[in-house]
Amino acid sequence: MIDQFTPPTRRQLLTMIGKAGGAAALYQAMTVMGHAKDSQFTGPPQLSGAKPGATVLVLGAGLAGMLAAYELTKAGYKVQILEFQGRAGGRNYTVRGGDTIAEIGSKQNVTFAPGNYLNPGPWRIPYHHRTVLHYCKELGVQLEPFLQINHNALIHSKKAFGGAPQPYRELMVDWKGHVSELLAKSLDAGALDTAVTAEDKAKLMEAMRGWGVLDKDMRYTKSDHVGEQRGWERPPGGGINGAPIPNDPSSLTETLNSGVWQTLGFYAEHVMQTTMFQPKGGMDHIGKGFAAKVGKLIRYNTRVTKIAQDDRGVTAAWTDTKTGATGETHADWMVCTIPAPVLNQIDFQVSAEKKAAIRALPYGNSVKIGLEMKRRFWETDHAIYGGISFTDQAISLVSYPSAGCFTDGPAVLLGAYPFGPGAYMLAGMTPEKRIQTALEQGSVFHPKEYKAEFLSGATVAWNRMPWILGCCATWTEESRAAHYQNLVSMEGRIVLAGEHCSYYGCWQEGALLSSLDAITRLHQRASAA
Amino acid sequence: MTGKIRGAVLALAGVTLATAASLATPGFAQDRPGPGGATVEVSTEGQEVYEQICQACHMADAKGGGEPGAMIPALAGNANLADKDYPIIVVMKGRGGMPWFNGVLTKEQIAAVITYVRGHFNDYHDPVSVADIDRIVAANPPVPECNTCGH
Ligand SMILES: Cc1cc2nc3c(=O)[nH]c(=O)nc-3n(C[C@H](O)[C@H](O)[C@H](O)COP(=O)(O)OP(=O)(O)OC[C@H]3O[C@@H](n4cnc5c(N)ncnc54)[C@H](O)[C@@H]3O)c2cc1C
């Protein structure tokens, strides 16, 4: 009951709508009110009243699997999880000193100093990934800002500036300067008179002058105003030499060659926009948070080899990877989160359509390389605090740690994170060679310090992780149209879930949203059965 | 073809620059490296293409690896490669966990690397040509059905 005479607060109103019309109505109402358009998350599922004794078998203890187990347990199901690895979390993974990394074909011992880590998989969480953020809060996972954009980080292209990296700030300012000048020129020449009204033309000219920092002749030239955006030859100071001296903008050709427009486009994507977060101390705190709730339900080192079902229940056959023992686990229902490259090799009793869908889902590849440096020279010597420097070499980027700015002692850089051909090139090397290559290529940004300050490295090539054989599902428009619904449909007593069963590919948000959708449908079917 | 390829492929003297749009910017905006990772140069020479691309998964000795039920197929001593159409289809279209390389590698690179794998890690010495690839593209056969074809 709310008091008729005081208007309800927004929150009260939403609670009322939620109670009256369920989650879908709540979502719609929030959207109308201008909120929540950025996520399909409507709050944790309100599942309850599982049939007494009903059981669910979950395959895979990644985030999708553990969330399913967590919510289904709350709803009253008896849940068991089978997990290939000796660790929960799946791709939600962090490596620290003392850990070993077991790829197919190699083994590394990580020797990072205490507190230092590499997130080989997920590393950042956009502010609108509400499902991830919700469960972080619920599980007590502490988040801190992830420093996504750094205007003082660098962009390197072999084809621009003789291969010398340039600050993102300078390239970005030069880009809009040159584009503004060109647009102003064509407007002035009447080239766009059929496309814009006289009034808009005047406004556009004014906008280009201001936004592009053009001079009185509408040209992008060296000036104090340009210096105020792109930085200085001599920065402002005090006393007799206080006056700043601007430097020369780069030419249009060099600015184009740098490819800076791609960086601008990248940061403009919804999923790359700030505010960005990361768990304090490593991404695996999310997996650990879930494992604190459902860890006792997990049978580790258990590789599922066969999945069957009939009208009474489901059966997973498995091999214990430590002892070689084989066994079977039965349940009434199943949530299967095994990634497609492995699932398509398992004897799986489902329809030809679902099998075809699983087979039509290749995984991209990716490699990460962590480089532990003796000191934070990027901060002390170059005023780079977090953020990303981009390069067109195989490593793709160098990313500076978001946490621990201004501290002394060793710190870990992300020394490589490529997709595509660069990822295959690095993955095909031994871990030692990969680290060596990352040092060579990353030196382009910090030639004086990079090799001299290096302590140790650690690397993960996702295609060589024995439990996934890839990075993330690669969908195309065509494969979505042909197979997506067949992949996510509940068939008999089995439903699939995970990153690959979502339109949020390669995000933890997708794994969690897919899991919530899958268990909601499972619960409906189990309740009706 | 399975993949819709947006990347342009530029041929330079002896080296090609592959814009791997299909793999570097897959589908909806995934977490990914961003602009830097879009382009690197891949050799046109068969052995080097193998070392730069294929060996990431199939390993330096082409023997693959993994555990039963989670295997990377071996290419060495692989009877499926006797018919050269088989590797062409798989490389062009992908199969199972393996993505397609159409649009990532040029036809020349694909012909060169299949010739190398068939001749070096197997005993099949008839070369694969760009014309073979064009023939497969025109016929557009389905991806062969077999589970972990390389065993
Ligand atoms: C390089 C990289 C960068 C990424 N960056 C980000 C990012 O910045 N932000 C973000 O939010 N997301 C990111 N992601 C995506 C995110 O990691 C995934 O979307 C999410 O973790 C997937 O969860 P899942 O539960 O679907 O699958 P997984 O975590 O892969 O879980 C599957 C589980 O199944 C187990 N399994 C496999 N085979 C078997 C078997 N035969 N029997 C039993 N168990 C089996 C596996 O061991 C694993 O534990 C990134 C991923 C990668 C690889």
Side-chain angles (χ1 to χ4, degrees), chain A residues 204-268:
Chain A
L204 263 173
M205 288 296 270
E206 202 40 46
M208 290 307 103
R209 185 199 299 283
W211 185 62
V213 201
L214 305 185
D215 64 17
K216 62 178 182 356
D217 302 320
M218 297 301 277
R219 298 196 45 233
Y220 180 60
T221 51
K222 171 156 124 178
S223 74
D224 279 356
H225 286 311
V226 170
E228 279 170 341
Q229 292 198 2
R230 107 186 269 289
W232 307 94
E233 185 67 40
R234 185 177 76 183
I240 47 169
N241 284 328
I245 302 172
N247 52 19
D248 288 311
S250 308
S251 70
L252 171 65
T253 304
E254 286 289 48
T255 307
L256 281 168
N257 288 346
S258 76
V260 64
W261 50 275
Q262 293 172 302
T263 311
L264 285 159
F266 179 70
Y267 286 138

Side-chain angles (χ1 to χ4, degrees), chain A residues 378-448:
Chain A
W378 51 93
E379 298 182 3
T380 52
D381 303 13
H382 303 285
I384 295 174
Y385 299 90
I388 300 163
S389 288
F390 293 103
T391 168
D392 58 2
Q393 303 170 97
I395 57 168
S396 279
L397 58 73
V398 167
S399 177
Y400 311 91
S402 294
C405 291
F406 301 105
T407 54
D408 296 321
V412 174
L413 284 170
L414 178 61
Y417 176 29
F419 271 30
Y424 290 105
M425 280 183 195
L426 290 172
M429 300 173 186
T430 61
E432 300 72 37
K433 184 86 199 303
R434 265 180 237 157
I435 290 163
Q436 201 49 48
T437 305
L439 282 173
E440 295 291 339
Q441 296 188 1
S443 288
V444 80
F445 294 119
H446 308 291
K448 275 219 302 282

Side-chain angles (χ1 to χ4, degrees), chain B:
Chain B
M1 289 290 96
T2 351
K4 196 169 131 196
I5 303 303
R6 279 159 291 160
V9 179
L10 300 174
L12 305 173
V15 183
T16 54
L17 183 74
T19 307
S22 57
L23 294 175
T25 56
F28 284 74
Q30 301 190 336
D31 186 75
R32 63 179 198 283
T39 56
V40 279
E41 287 162 5
V42 178
S43 168
T44 48
E45 200 276 314
Q47 179 176 349
E48 284 173 12
V49 177
Y50 184 83
E51 288 166 2
Q52 290 174 353
I53 303 291
C54 315
Q55 118 178 354
C57 296
H58 296 286
M59 312 301 282
D61 58 7
K63 289 190 177 148
E67 297 179 34
M71 295 290 288
I72 297 167
L75 300 181
N78 185 333
N80 288 306
L81 302 186
D83 176 1
K84 63 182 169 185
D85 290 4
Y86 175 80
I88 298 175
I89 299 168
V90 172
V91 172
M92 293 295 283
K93 293 192 165 189
R95 205 187 57 82
M98 173 175 159
W100 56 87
F101 285 84
N102 178 21
V104 179
L105 300 173
T106 63
K107 288 179 198 171
E108 287 77 10
Q109 286 169 323
I110 291 172
V113 76
I114 295 176
T115 301
Y116 172 72
V117 168
R118 293 178 77 241
H120 183 78
F121 296 115
N122 298 274
D123 220 4
Y124 313 122
H125 296 285
D126 50 323
V128 170
S129 66
V130 170
D132 288 322
I133 294 173
D134 287 335
R135 177 173 51 77
I136 295 292
V137 169
N140 192 21
V143 178
E145 287 285 328
C146 57
N147 214 11
T148 331
C149 293
H151 326 293

Side-chain angles (χ1 to χ4, degrees), chain A residues 60-65 82-85 89-92 120-124 129 302-304 337-339 342 346 366 368 417 462 467-468 471-472 498-499 506-509 511, chain B residues 31:
Chain A
L63 295 195
L82 305 179
E83 168 54 50
F84 190 144
Q85 302 178 72
R91 275 169 275 182
N92 177 279
W123 59 322
R124 53 190 162 191
H129 282 185
T302 304
R303 177 166 44 76
V304 171
T337 72
I338 297 175
V342 176
I346 292 176
S366 171
K368 279 194 181 171
Y417 176 29
W462 281 95
W467 47 274
I468 182 163
C471 173
C472 290
E499 169 266 327
C506 221
W507 291 99
Q508 297 171 113
E509 183 74 2
Chain B
D31 186 75

Side-chain angles (χ1 to χ4, degrees), chain A residues 309-379:
Chain A
Q309 62 170 325
D310 58 27
D311 40 339
R312 280 169 312 160
V314 297
T315 304
W318 44 260
T319 301
D320 187 308
T321 59
K322 284 273 175 295
T323 64
T326 57
E328 281 187 353
T329 305
H330 306 276
D332 299 329
W333 305 96
M334 176 182 288
V335 179
C336 174
T337 72
I338 297 175
V342 176
L343 189 57
N344 79 36
Q345 298 186 35
I346 292 176
D347 183 352
F348 191 13
Q349 195 186 340
V350 283
S351 67
E353 290 76 26
K354 198 178 284 297
K355 277 188 188 156
I358 295 163
R359 243 181 244 147
L361 201 46
Y363 276 39
N365 184 31
S366 171
V367 174
K368 279 194 181 171
I369 302 176
L371 303 174
E372 185 174 57
M373 300 289 179
K374 288 176 203 152
R375 61 183 186 95
R376 295 175 177 252
F377 57 82
W378 51 93
E379 298 182 3

Side-chain angles (χ1 to χ4, degrees), chain A residues 272-284:
Chain A
M272 292 301 163
Q273 289 170 16
T274 57
T275 305
M276 197 67 93
F277 296 101
Q278 66 178 14
K280 275 190 185 164
M283 189 55 89
D284 70 345

